[in-house]
Amino acid sequence: MTVETLPTRAAEDWRYADVEALKALWPIAAPELVTVPAGGSFSRTILQTGGGVTRLSLVLESKATAVVHILNAGGPYARVEVDVLLHEGADFTLGGAQLAGEGETVEIVTTVTHAQPNATSRQLVRSVAAARGVASYLGKVKVERGADGTDGEQSVRAMLLDRTATANARPELEIYADSVKCAHGCAVGELDANGLFYLASRGVPPAQAKALMLSAFVAEAFDGAEEGDNLQAHAQALLEKALLEGKA
Amino acid sequence: MLTITDLHASVADKPILKGLSLTINPGEIHAIMGPNGAGKSTLGYTLGGRPGYEVTGGSATLDGADLLELEPHERAAAGLFLGFQYPVEIPGVSFVQFLRESANAQRKSRGEEPLSGAEFLKLAREKAALLKMDMEMLKRPVNVGFSGGEKKRAEMVQMGILDPKLAILDETDSGLDIDALRICGEGINAIMRKPEKSVLLITHYQRLLDYVKPDFVHVLAGGRIVKSGGPELALTLEERGYEAVEGAGA
């Protein structure tokens, strides 16, 4: 997707964006284009912890595979866009975690197009939002005519640390083929109060107890990541910082 | 050790504890028995500081410190351990990670040096062996996929590692088969039967008391202790039921 003029929130893909903050980042770079040749593989870790906009556009030729892991955080606005076109039998996996600290807006926006048959795709996104923070995931899966045997899956969960925190999850399926499997699940919640009391009863102070539980929550997004430990360490540090500063 | 005086507590504005008084001295093991709804679990949660359990009157001190003024994690650091009737599952967090953070948070608040990874694992291995629990289980997420008996044994392993002054054990015997009951009972004795430590056992049944012999037995009914006695009181309760004994005590 090319964005030439500053978008407004009327544009579907920018409806939860912080347009004021985006102005300061404008103009944003065009997406990085990567073509993964037939049978090839690609992996990328996007570690964006100081805000900004990162855009990646992938074309997977037949039977190519790609894995993208994301840690997205930092204010006032942090956005990661990943656009993927899948040819026959290609496989795409995305694991993303994001943290909206106090008053920050973070979002991950994916568009996965199954252009040919038998391609598979999975997106797993875990979001955490502190006071007045907004964490959004917009995930579109398009299955084009004739792309039979498509297997797509989205798992989206968000954790709110305060009553003023917001999480948006917008899965969107456009299916023009028969014999397609597309599953998506979405849940927004708060940390389990019983779990927090259990940890406290063993002596763990509240901020540390929350960091422990949230760190386990986002860890799922880094399953199988080459830089999993590094991502997890960054996530843990960001969570502890947000919890101690925000008294969330 | 523990002094509770005229304690009143409510849950969702409903009074549950209505003037409960109890003193436990170092080296003593007390058992509180009572019918369903008497307030037994409320007593444990109130002393542990669970949100939603509101103290409306009275006091509770642990070695002179006002327990009710402390946050739950501070009560733990002061030496209180609460054994849960239903231990909580925490997906994604391993026992080893959780217990090391717990132990070191307590040590920090007491001004002690943290345990190194190796020191902690040695301690954990020792206490797991005491409860006949495979160390591999402690590498799994907290209580996730554990049977009822495994959860209770894991509670006792935690108690061993955290080494509290006072343990309040809420129905540790529920959900245990005969072997697990014996192992937990022996674990409680090994960890807590010491001159400087105390235990408050909350239970419905005599059977745990066959392994952990109490020095005192109390009957809790209607939010107050209505009768106290020696270990023989538990046997009388088992034979005659709560109603007869409460009636006699009132």
Side-chain angles (χ1 to χ4, degrees):
Chain A
M1 71 191 85
T2 314
V3 183
E4 277 149 7
T5 53
L6 188 69
T8 68
R9 293 176 66 150
E12 270 301 300
D13 285 346
W14 297 87
R15 61 188 294 181
Y16 304 119
D18 180 345
V19 176
E20 279 308 303
L22 184 60
K23 269 184 197 164
L25 300 167
W26 203 259
I28 54 177
E32 177 190 351
L33 301 171
V34 177
T35 298
V36 187
S41 64
F42 170 84
S43 82
R44 171 66 58 87
T45 294
I46 297 171
L47 180 60
Q48 173 170 270
T49 57
V53 177
T54 299
R55 306 161 81 200
L56 176 64
S57 180
L58 301 174
V59 176
L60 274 61
E61 305 283 12
S62 79
K63 298 202 167 57
T65 62
V67 180
V68 174
H69 287 101
I70 300 167
L71 176 59
N72 184 38
Y77 180 56
R79 175 183 175 102
V80 176
E81 282 177 22
V82 181
D83 214 4
V84 187
L85 182 70
L86 300 172
H87 288 103
E88 177 153 19
D91 178 69
F92 173 68
T93 300
L94 178 137
Q98 53 183 352
L99 169 67
E102 224 179 308
E104 296 174 352
T105 299
V106 301
E107 52 191 353
I108 294 174
V109 182
T110 63
T111 304
V112 177
T113 305
H114 288 249
Q116 292 183 353
N118 302 320
T120 48
S121 66
R122 281 173 307 282
Q123 294 96 58
L124 184 145
V125 176
R126 299 288 176 261
S127 302
V128 177
R132 300 188 319 283
V134 181
S136 307
Y137 173 62
L138 289 75
K140 188 185 286 184
V141 176
K142 289 188 203 171
V143 180
E144 292 189 350
R145 197 162 281 120
D148 294 336
T150 285
D151 191 346
E153 194 184 334
Q154 282 183 344
S155 162
V156 185
R157 288 173 64 197
M159 208 62 98
L160 305 178
L161 303 184
D162 188 272
R163 282 173 191 279
T164 60
T166 303
N168 300 298
R170 201 195 63 188
E172 200 180 331
L173 302 174
E174 269 181 36
I175 301 175
Y176 298 103
D178 305 322
S179 167
V180 164
K181 205 167 104 190
C182 280
H184 66 90
C186 165
V188 178
E190 295 172 18
L191 284 174
D192 175 29
N194 290 330
L196 289 173
F197 176 65
Y198 191 66
L199 292 171
S201 77
R202 300 302 183 246
V204 185
Q208 209 178 324
K210 286 177 182 173
L212 201 59
M213 288 176 74
L214 289 171
S215 161
F217 171 73
V218 301
E220 251 186 303
F222 308 138
D223 266 357
E226 273 172 27
E227 293 186 46
D229 291 348
N230 182 33
L231 287 167
Q232 191 61 35
H234 272 95
Q236 176 125 16
L238 288 165
L239 288 165
E240 280 171 10
K241 185 164 164 274
L243 290 163
L244 289 172
E245 280 176 2
K247 309 247 183 295
Chain B
M1 173 75 70
L2 178 69
T3 308
I4 305 172
T5 310
D6 195 27
L7 186 64
H8 288 71
S10 297
V11 179
D13 290 330
K14 185 176 177 227
I16 309 285
L17 300 182
K18 301 167 185 169
L20 187 147
S21 297
L22 177 67
T23 300
I24 301 181
N25 295 307
E28 291 177 356
I29 293 183
H30 290 233
I32 284 198
M33 306 180 76
N36 290 323
K40 299 192 302 297
S41 292
T42 298
L43 174 62
Y45 285 143
T46 303
L47 295 175
R50 188 182 187 119
Y53 289 74
E54 194 198 345
V55 175
T56 53
S59 67
T61 59
L62 179 62
D63 278 347
D66 183 352
L67 210 48
L68 305 177
E69 280 300 305
L70 300 177
E71 295 291 316
H73 68 283
E74 296 168 334
R75 299 181 195 202
L80 175 69
F81 178 86
L82 186 61
F84 282 57
Q85 183 181 0
Y86 302 108
V88 181
E89 297 185 4
I90 306 181
V93 178
S94 77
F95 264 115
V96 168
Q97 184 188 12
F98 150 57
L99 287 172
R100 192 174 165 205
E101 292 216 21
S102 302
N104 282 340
Q106 289 199 21
R107 294 175 72 89
K108 189 178 170 191
S109 74
R110 293 193 294 257
E112 298 164 12
E113 286 295 308
L115 294 172
S116 72
E119 286 169 329
F120 174 76
L121 285 176
K122 183 169 175 282
L123 179 65
R125 205 168 283 123
E126 187 186 304
K127 301 304 174 186
L130 194 61
L131 272 301
K132 303 193 171 27
M133 182 160 242
D134 189 345
M135 190 61 194
E136 285 305 306
M137 289 191 77
L138 296 185
K139 293 176 182 164
R140 290 177 22 195
V142 177
N143 291 319
V144 177
F146 280 38
S147 71
E150 287 167 343
K151 284 179 183 173
K152 295 299 172 70
R153 276 194 282 156
E155 291 284 289
M156 297 302 101
V157 173
Q158 293 177 45
M159 183 171 76
I161 290 170
L162 298 173
D163 194 27
K165 287 197 270 193
L166 169 70
I168 300 173
L169 305 178
D170 188 4
E171 299 202 22
T172 293
D173 51 346
S174 69
L176 294 184
D177 63 27
I178 296 164
D179 290 340
L181 182 68
R182 180 178 49 78
I183 291 167
C184 280
E186 289 170 358
I188 295 169
N189 288 331
I191 296 163
M192 296 302 293
R193 193 175 275 288
K194 294 181 181 167
E196 71 283 9
K197 292 182 185 291
S198 309
V199 178
L200 179 58
L201 298 167
I202 296 174
T203 183
H204 272 295
Y205 305 106
Q206 159 67 26
R207 55 183 205 165
L208 178 64
L209 308 183
D210 290 338
Y211 296 101
V212 186
K213 299 262 186 291
D215 302 298
F216 299 94
V217 173
H218 310 277
V219 179
L220 179 61
R224 305 174 65 224
I225 286 176
V226 296
K227 195 172 176 67
S228 296
E232 72 288 348
L233 179 55
L235 296 168
T236 312
L237 285 169
E238 191 91 340
E239 272 170 34
R240 297 174 51 199
Y242 290 118
E243 265 179 46
V245 174
E246 274 170 48

